[in-house]
Every structure is written in C-alpha cells, then in structure tokens.
Amino acid sequence: KAPSFTTGWFGSGSANIDIAYFRATGGNEVDTIKHMYNIPGILHATRVDTLFKYLEKAPQAEWEIVWVDGVERLDLKHGDILRVTAGNGDVKDYFIKMEDYRPSDNANLASITWPDIPDIYRGFFGWQGDTIPNFSPTAYSYTVRVPGDIAGMPALVAKPQNENATVEVTRATSFTGTTENRTVTFTVTAESDTTVRVYTVLLEKEQLPQHIQPYHAEPIISEFIFWESWNNGFKEIANTGNQPMDLSNYLFANRYSEGPATIFEWELAFHNRYQLYIPGYKWTASESEWEIEPFIAEADPNVNPIVSPGDVFTMGEVRTWGFVYNYQNWYGATWWVPGQLDIDFGYETIDDVRIPSNPWGESWINPDDDGWGESVARQWKEADFYIFKILNDSIKLGLKPANDPADFELIEIFGTGDMTEYSPIGEVADMTTSFVRKPEFTLPNPVPMGSFGDTPEESEWRKFDRPYWAAREVGWPQEILFIALDLGLHSFIPPTHYKSTVSSLTYVVSPGYSEDEQIRGITTGTTVSEFLARIIKADPEQALSVISDGDTLAVDDVFADGDALHVLSADSTNITIYNLLVTEEGLRTDAILTSEVFDIEVDGETGTISGFELGTLLKTVREGVTVPGGASFTIVDENDAYVPLQKPNFDTVYVDVLATDRIFFEVIAEDNVTKVLYQLLPDSDPGDAYVTSEVYFVDQVLFAIDLVPSNTAVPTLLSNLTPSRGATMKVFDRLGMERTIGTIYKDDRVFVTSQDGETTNMYFLTLLGDIPDYLAYLVSDVYTVDQVTRIIHLEVSEPPTIGEVLSHVELAPGSSIEFMDKDGAAKTVDDLVDDEDIFRVTAANGVTVVDYVVSLTITSVEDILGDRIRLYPNPSTGKVFIEGLEPGTRIQVYNIVGVPVISRVVQDSTEVLSLEDRPGGLYFVVVTSKNEIIGRYKLIIR
C-alpha cells in the first residue's frame, strides 16, 4: 500500500510527476524512476497499470510508455521510458529502472503428507491429519511407522513452501533391507538453484508384537537449549528404543561440578533443590525438613514419567519477564514452547507477584536476597547436565535420600565436568542457541565432552541460532522464536546394534526373531557365498554363519534343504536362527496384471492399460486390475514420484485423482527382479483440446477455470491441470505473450492445443475470492465463438439484426458491449449484422476491452443446425433426449469438473443420453460439427 503524500501544484507547462510509491532521481532531461524503500529498482514484472496507479501527472499532461524493445507489453522491462508530454508540448522522459527477477532461495518443505492414509489413523499415533508425525520444515529426517494392514508403500507427497521450488523423489523400494531400501528421499531445490534441502523418511512397517525384537533404550539428551530469548532454559530427553521408558528410574542434574561425584557431595540449598529432579517425583516441600534430611523423594502424580518409543520428555524454566511475551504483545507472534513442556520450573509474573508454573505451586526463594534458585532446566554454561540411572528402590520409596553416589550410574553428560564453558561444536556456546542431537546418534555418552567435537562435523550436535535462521530469511521475531522450533520432537535413525534379524530383496524372510524362523526362495545349487551376498544385515556388525548338521559351511559349499542361518547381533546379546528352504523353482516371477474390465498389453518390461474414458477415477482403474500373487504394486507419475488416490483441492477438500496418461502402475514380481511398468492410456481423440482438474472447477461451456488461488505460480497452475491426451498447454497474458514464471495474473489465459495441432481452445481464469470484473468475453449456445482468434462465426439464412445476435450470446458478468462496423462507425441493435462488424466487450472494471470480429456466412435453412437442436427434459433424472441432430455431428457431455463422461458420434436425428449411473449435479453438453461448436447447453441431473 502506498504511503500518504501531498500532490504538488502543476501548471499547464508541467511535465513532472508526483511520486507516491516510486521516486524519480537524476538529471533534467532523463530522470530515473525506482522504488522508494531501499530497493534498487522497481520489482521485476511490475505491470504498467501498477506504475500508473502510484504516480500522478499534471492535469493537462499526457503520458505513455516507450518500450525498450519496441514491443507493447503488460509488464515493464528495465530500460522502458515513461514519456510525459505537458499541455504546451514540453516532453520529459523518465528512465524506468527495474530489478532483475529474484528467484526464491527457499528450499524448505511445507509438508510431507500421506493423502491416502485411512481415516482411522488420522490424528492418531502422532499423525496430524495426513501429515507425518512430528513434521517440521527444519527437521530433515523422520521415521514413520506404517500400519501393518496397509498393502504396498504409502504414497507420500511433499509440498514445498515456495511453489516454484522443485521436489525430486527417490522412492523406498521395500519395507525390508537396508535403510536406503526403506527410505523415501525428497530433494528440494530452490527456484534459484542455490539452496538444496534433503528430507528423508524411513518407513518401518508395523509388526505384530510377537515379531518386534524388544529394545529397552537408555535415555539420551536430544536437545539442549541455552538461555532461549536470553532468559529461558529447556532440555529434551528422547526414547530411542521400541519399548516404553520410565524416567522415574533416572535422576537429572544440572550443577556446577568437577565430575559426577561432586553433584552429590556439594551442599545444595533448599531454593536450588530442583537442580536435581526425578520425573514423577518431587522433593520435600518443607525447608525445615530439607535441612534435617534433604533429597527425600515423594511421588508426584502431576507429571507422567513414561515416554513412548520414539517420543520425548521436555523440561523447562520459563521466566516470563523475558522477551518472548513482548513478542506476543507487540508482534502477535505465537509461542508454542509452553505447550510442549512436560514440566516447567519457571514462573509467571502477575501484578509484580511471581506465580510458580510447576504443578505443585511451590517456589524456591532464597530468604537472604529474595532471589530465585536455578533449576535442572536452566543454568549458565559452566554447569553440567547429567543423567543418572537410579540403582535401587529405596530412593523412590522415600526410604533413603538421593545423595549417595553409590546409588547412581552415570548414563549421559552434556558439559565439560570441570566448570569451564562448554563448546559442543568447537566454539563456546552463546545465549539463544539450541543444540540438537544428530539423528545417527542414539546412544547416551557418559564421557565429559564425549559427544562434543572440535568442528561441527566431528560433533554429535547441530547448532541452531539467530544467524542460522537469519540466513534462511526468517525475520524478527521468528528468528528468535525458531530457536526452539522443534522442541517436543526428535527425529533419529533407529538403532540396530541389538538386532539379530536379517532381510533380503531376493528371498522371503519370516518377520520374527526367534530360533525357529525361515528363509524361502533359495534355489537348488546356491552356494553359501551367493546366498550371503543376497542377505541384508539389520546391522553391519552382525555375525552370520550357515550351519549344516552342526557344522559351519564354507563359502563354496552348496546348500541343502534344512540347513540353518545363525545371526548374532552386533552387541552379542541376541541370536536368531533361520531354517533355509531350498527348492528348484525359487520365488515367483509373475508381474503381469490382468483385468476383466480394461485392456492390458505387455511388451517386455513395459505395458499399457486402456479401455476407459478420460475422467475415470484412478481408484476405479486400480480396483479393475488384479495383481499377481506375491508381487508388489505402486502407482507413480512420469517423474517416478508417488501418486495418491486422492489429494486436496484449492480449499483443502480431498478429491479423487483422475487416471491420465501421466500415471503408471509399477508391478514387481515376488522375486524382486521381474518388473513391468504399465502406462495408463485413457481413450481420446487426437482433435481434443480441453483441460480437466481435480483441484479447480472447469466450465467447459464458458471455457473458464474457476476457484484458482490468487498466489498460484504459473508452473503450479499447469501442474494442477490435465490436458486431453497428447494435448499441450501454455499460459499467455492478454497481449499474447507466454508466461512461464511468477504468479498468475487474473487476466491470463490458458491455451490448449490438441495432439494433432488442429484445435486450440482458450480458457479464462477466475481467481478464488475475486469478483471477476476484469473478464471481457462473450459466449454463445448458437454461434461458434473462437476465443483464440476472437471471431464470431454466424452461419445464417439471412443477415440478422444485432439485437437478434445479442439474444443468443452471453457476456462476462458485469461487462458491456458496443457495436461498430469494420471502419469503427457505431451501430445500433436495430441494424443488420455485416461481415467484419466488431462487437466490443468492455469488462466491468472499465479497463479490459476485447474486440470480436463477425464472420458472416449465408447458408440454406437446412444447414442451420443450432437453432433446431432441442434437449429435454431438463432437469432430468438421467435419461435425456436430443432432437434436431444431423448424422455425423458429435455430442460430448462434461461433468462439473470438466471431465468428459460421454463422447458420441450421432447416427440419427434423435439421440438418447443415459446418465442414470452418474451422480446428480450440473453437466455441460457440447454439440460439434466438423470441429465447430454448434450448440452448448447446461444440463441438471437430479
């Protein structure tokens, strides 16, 4: 919005302009117009009318743009000249300084979703709707547990924050095998090509409880936030195991120390008692009792100490006179941290009174200076943060104080252990910084500085601070708030050192971990070395041996049915024994789809599926094919990315995906070698030139694409449109210049050219929430209106009056029309129409003007089809009659999203359309003859 300004006095000889949003600088003859607010030039692709909107010229002056390339455009270019001519003829030129197009550096994802997730799982197990658990734009690795009843891979879809960023997908190939086999990778490249982000999602197929090899992990420090907003402290503890963790078995300490023993040896004042903390317990609340016998634990039902597998426990000390609440008051920023805390040792100041935030309502006040003590969640950087395991039950039963080092085992430390400042990544930590454990580190480290490194690469930690976020174009105050962006979640690579199981992409391996498992698919004559080369260890340090009758086979020995594979885990704590099934046949090699509904052809490793109309739902085609036993089935697009069966439209309502020739069915046989890729080929005519959409509403009568969000990028618009098979699409502005980058304008058009190149149709755009006062067009159910060449074809027995023609056309909402002959002389509605007359349509905004030229052809009465066609009943319950047709004409019926549901060549003068099996609603009927439209009708089915 332009700032307010005062218009100066202009005389009749003035060729000056007053600047509201832009400013003029330079010499007397040629000044420069550029942006006012520290921007070197006017933003790229600023429109001419936008420039004029923020400039004011002298009342008697005239202005024009002198185009630097001699081509009239809607958008300005660097070097264009604004020429102002005064009322007395004086001329002054303003050089227009334009910014180069600045592509976005944003390569962050806005979401990773599974649109086809069953409703019963939405909102459960960490899923937020269809968004994967714990998603954050700044977290780059995830582990997603796929429910055991799901067949095939989940079709994960990644959406970038910037629509012009590109996302390359590397699909997971199997639920078994290496981490790479089970990982979906999204590589996001910013529009500028300067920034790349890689997000990984490790898929873990949910197993039956009896098939899950249990791992009881020790807690690790997963995030350490040092004085967020220069005042608050936060700690996050993660459970990297697959079994629930009870944190009441651990004591957390944050103290200045010279090693772990001094934590218990050095005296601790009452007001600092929560520098030690056991989740699920609290200390004696009475200071007099504390002085007699400190650290007596009492059960605390207010805090749940149980941490689910993969989840975290968070503790904090929020001192609310810090900056964050001012952010909320001054900038309206939302602070999410308090909602993530399992316990808050801080307080809130109300009317100058400090109200404790802990669940017991207790404060720890130093009676000498009325100051507050420090808690386990907040200390200065010379203090160490410890995790100790409690070795007896007496402490939890309140029978013994928690101050004897012999009762504890050190599990983890974040600090130096010598009261010096800690440097997790090789430099001393500063305030308002978060340290997050790298996902590959899942075991606690009890050595002082053991998890630290001299460089970021050598450290187990990643650092997030204000410079980190500022470099990613995160402004105030989010650059501070984002320090704790992912507090409450932790992404990690599941540990494997305890596993004694294996998998294979060649053989079928049973899912358990007992001493009675099996591996099948081994063919007769396979040697031990060949077999082991096809086995995938759960951990690279596992020990494998093949046993036959109690003896270990050599690598050159040949298998016999009944031999066994012994697998010892990397930590030597678990063993699994697999019985080996050897046969002549091995695994099945069938990857051939079959169908009783569709036509399927296979040629080697490729195939096609046809015999369905364009507009058929993808799920309909999927349900109409049969996958061979043991084979895997995946739906992908031409870029090998997953394709879901449904996706959100413009207002996030889920709609079914249509089957198009851009979609493929990938079938891999049980042997995991034989593969056939099937392309979907909906029926089509090479002369078809239309688009459909699952996201927008397409009106095939008005040739309009409605409900398009106003900030949609041009590539995004095209990606959400599906052209008829083989057709091409392009976006042009109203002057006919192609647009490939930037966001769409409301007066852009989409041109669709058929596969044979003979037919081109143009679609208008209507933006979501916008009143389309910028549209200027006319359409007709009787006459053929070519929106590309803007010619109205009138095939009549005698010249009609202009009023008669008007009775058969429909104008854009709010627009007006005037009539002229070919020389520009005005005509009235009572005048007859002549060849090359001009129908001028002006949009409701009074700016957009479109001229249509009349092409008048006098024909015999028998050749005039449009006036004789009658469609009834309308509304209908499903059976519709169309009379007055000529054999050879064509009828096409489109549903409300622009999908053709009927396409038929007429054989008789009366045709019957059967729509009984179609859902009720609005349909469009188009009748064509020799590729010319002779009738358009709206049909309502009840």
Side-chain angles (χ1 to χ4, degrees), residues 520-710:
R520 65 179 181 87
I522 307 167
T523 56
T524 303
T526 301
T527 65
V528 170
S529 60
E530 292 170 338
F531 168 77
L532 293 179
R534 297 163 186 164
I535 292 297
I536 302 171
K537 297 179 178 180
D539 187 285
E541 300 303 318
Q542 286 177 331
L544 307 184
S545 57
V546 179
I547 307 298
S548 178
D549 294 328
D551 297 324
T552 301
L553 297 181
V555 293
D556 295 332
D557 289 338
V558 175
F559 277 116
D561 190 43
D563 289 347
L565 173 67
H566 290 215
V567 182
L568 181 66
S569 63
D571 61 4
S572 301
T573 60
N574 298 303
I575 189 169
T576 298
I577 299 176
Y578 294 91
N579 296 311
L580 308 180
L581 306 182
V582 182
T583 64
E584 292 284 347
E585 300 81 13
L587 300 177
R588 290 169 285 188
T589 61
D590 186 4
I592 305 301
L593 292 175
T594 57
S595 176
E596 297 180 357
V597 182
F598 307 119
D599 300 324
I600 298 179
E601 296 183 3
V602 178
D603 182 10
E605 296 182 352
T606 60
T608 59
I609 302 174
S610 58
F612 60 92
E613 300 173 345
L614 180 60
T616 301
L617 300 181
L618 179 58
K619 67 179 180 181
T620 301
V621 181
R622 170 62 187 94
E623 293 167 355
V625 299
T626 301
V627 181
S632 65
F633 177 93
T634 309
I635 305 176
V636 298
D637 64 14
E638 69 270 30
N639 297 318
D640 201 39
Y642 294 108
V643 176
L645 296 177
Q646 57 178 348
K647 67 179 181 180
N649 67 3
F650 65 93
D651 60 356
T652 70
V653 174
Y654 278 86
V655 295
D656 292 322
V657 173
L658 304 179
T660 71
D661 58 349
R662 299 177 178 179
I663 296 177
F664 299 78
F665 288 174
E666 178 190 76
V667 182
I668 301 177
E670 187 183 44
D671 67 355
N672 210 45
V673 175
T674 309
K675 182 175 79 169
V676 179
L677 189 65
Y678 300 82
Q679 183 179 14
L680 306 190
L681 296 178
D683 299 336
S684 67
D685 187 309
D688 287 338
Y690 59 84
V691 295
T692 61
S693 179
E694 300 127 348
V695 179
Y696 315 127
F697 170 77
V698 181
D699 188 326
Q700 302 291 1
V701 172
L702 298 180
F703 283 101
I705 302 170
D706 295 340
L707 306 177
V708 180
S710 58

Side-chain angles (χ1 to χ4, degrees), residues 126-236:
W127 287 88
Q128 306 204 4
D130 63 353
T131 301
I132 65 172
N134 300 326
F135 175 79
S136 167
T138 60
Y140 303 110
S141 61
Y142 301 89
T143 298
V144 171
R145 298 191 180 277
V146 181
D149 59 345
I150 299 298
M153 291 286 175
L156 297 183
V157 177
K159 180 179 180 181
Q161 288 181 344
N162 182 278
E163 297 285 1
N164 290 330
T166 59
V167 181
E168 181 182 349
V169 182
T170 302
R171 296 186 288 118
T173 58
S174 173
F175 285 120
T176 61
T178 63
T179 298
E180 182 180 0
N181 297 138
R182 295 178 284 125
T183 299
V184 183
T185 302
F186 299 103
T187 303
V188 189
T189 303
E191 183 186 17
S192 62
D193 286 332
T194 60
T195 309
V196 177
R197 301 268 185 270
V198 179
Y199 295 76
T200 60
V201 181
L202 178 64
L203 301 178
E204 295 280 2
K205 191 65 174 284
E206 189 178 68
Q207 295 177 293
L208 295 173
Q210 61 267 31
H211 293 156
I212 298 175
Q213 191 163 13
Y215 170 49
H216 295 273
E218 299 285 9
I220 69 166
I221 305 167
S222 52
E223 185 166 6
F224 188 103
I225 300 180
F226 176 56
W227 285 41
E228 184 267 355
S229 295
W230 301 276
N231 212 19
N232 307 313
F234 304 107
K235 308 292 189 295
E236 179 186 271

Side-chain angles (χ1 to χ4, degrees), residues 650 696 707-714 739 742-746 748 765-770 774:
F650 65 93
Y696 315 127
L707 306 177
V708 180
S710 58
N711 60 347
T712 301
V714 172
R739 303 190 60 238
T743 56
I744 58 171
Y745 288 113
K746 57 189 178 181
D748 286 342
L765 300 178
T766 302
L767 304 188
L768 185 64
D770 204 0
Y774 48 84

